[in-house]
Amino acid sequence: MSVRVRFAPSPTGNLHIGGARTALFNYLFARHHGGTFVLRIEDTDTARSKKEYENNILQSLKWLKMDWDEFYRQSERMDIYKEHLEKLKRDGKVYKCFCTKPELEEKRRKCDLMKKPYKYDGKCSRLAEDEIKRLEAEGREHVIRFRIGPGTTVINDLVRGTITFDNRELDDFVLTRSDGVPTYNFCVVIDDALMNITHIIRGEDHISNTPRQLQLYKALGFKEPLFAHIPLIIGADKAKMSKRDGGVAVTDYSGAGYLPEAALNFLALLGCSYGSDEQVYSLKDLTEKFSVEHINKSPAVFDMNKLEWLNGFYIRQKSDEELAGLVKPYLAAKNMLPDGAKLITVIRLEKERLKKLSDIVENAGFFFTDHLEYDKDAYEKFFKNADTLALLGEYEHELRHTAFDKASLEAFTRGFVEKKGLKLKDIVHPVRLALTGKLVSAGLFEVMETLGKDIVLYRLNLPK
Ligand code: GLU
């Protein structure tokens, strides 16, 4: 039996980190087994589905380098669902439900009052034929509901083990809405069965849908696939992931300058292990080592520090030239147009400190602009102090006669402070502030060499 898995996002939002992790587990499983990875856009909810979200999902998967083997859109398969609905009708497995929205809301309210979980009470399943005719003649709208049978439904979940549901807990769920549009729970079964999906790997939030779907498999005589429900991702505060955790969409991370290798590696570690304490894995390693047995049962905590660490690691793996190309758009967006040779030098200086590509602006933007933004407190402290200004003036004056390579600059500066009976930091802090606008930067003498004599002298003259 060859493995066939699918990722089936609804295009009702940008691709979420959790969705990307689900896609990745399916992808790794398919590639590990030499199987097929199907991408299926579940866009039957016409009110909420949007083309821009579909585009975002495809773009995010491509950025993560997850390529799919087959592609489907549910909106293009309506005839297939209709055909299967007819079969269910013929077999008496479905019924028309005429309950109105206010009626259903009232039923739900009563359940809430009694603190009982809501479940459709099956009222319309008992309608007599002539009653149905009468309601239809009145032009009353209806949905089609699936008749859940008696007994129990068992999921043999590859992650969570056996889960048994009493069918009395399941309600007769809706297969098509009043406008005839089929629902998720209906289409998903038809598609998974007709696409010969062997393993359904998806978020744990779908566990409650699974017994309903299994009932439908049975009613249609389809072979059941295997299920693996993967744990949810929670934020550092153990609550559901939110914007506070640094963004929820994959494109938030690509936009901020995370590398796809780092994001992929990070996602793969969310709730799954690979047989060692190692944290760094390439796509190839992951494909070799991935196993559903290594998926955890407990929720995965989104650890931003780990993502940043991994990103820094992959940044340092890049050649200076490649990294220069990657950071350029971030500088250009701030009108800091780098010249090629200088950018490479700056990359060499900054590579160790970059956590994400966009950090280049904050850490090294001063190399590429004439408009420094000074740290406000530091400005007050150093440049409103007559002694410091006098010292900077002297330093600037003597610096004019110094060779502008790193070693000479350091020797000169050390000699300068010694002569004055000062410490190195007494001059390094104000000079750094004058040249970079900040109190933290790459090594000062390297910064001076890279900026060059003209700019250094000019900036040392600025703060008056
Ligand atoms: N369209 C569903 C979702 O985005 C897919 C669930 C499934 O994998 O069955 O949540």
Side-chain angles (χ1 to χ4, degrees), residues 6-12 22 26 40-43 74 184 188 192 200-203 205-206 209 213:
R6 67 0 176 234
F7 175 53
S10 305
T12 52
T22 302
N26 278 284
R40 186 173 72 225
I41 301 294
E42 304 211 317
D43 57 349
Q74 288 190 327
Y184 156 69
V188 77
D192 285 336
I200 294 186
I201 304 171
R202 64 182 171 200
D205 46 331
H206 285 289
N209 288 321
Q213 294 171 14

Side-chain angles (χ1 to χ4, degrees), residues 380-395 416 420 422 426-427 430 463:
E380 290 292 313
K381 180 173 163 200
F382 290 107
F383 300 155
K384 295 279 165 78
N385 177 320
D387 292 346
T388 313
L389 289 179
L391 186 70
L392 273 179
E394 272 183 70
Y395 182 78
F416 179 84
K420 301 255 159 226
L422 296 171
D426 296 329
I427 193 75

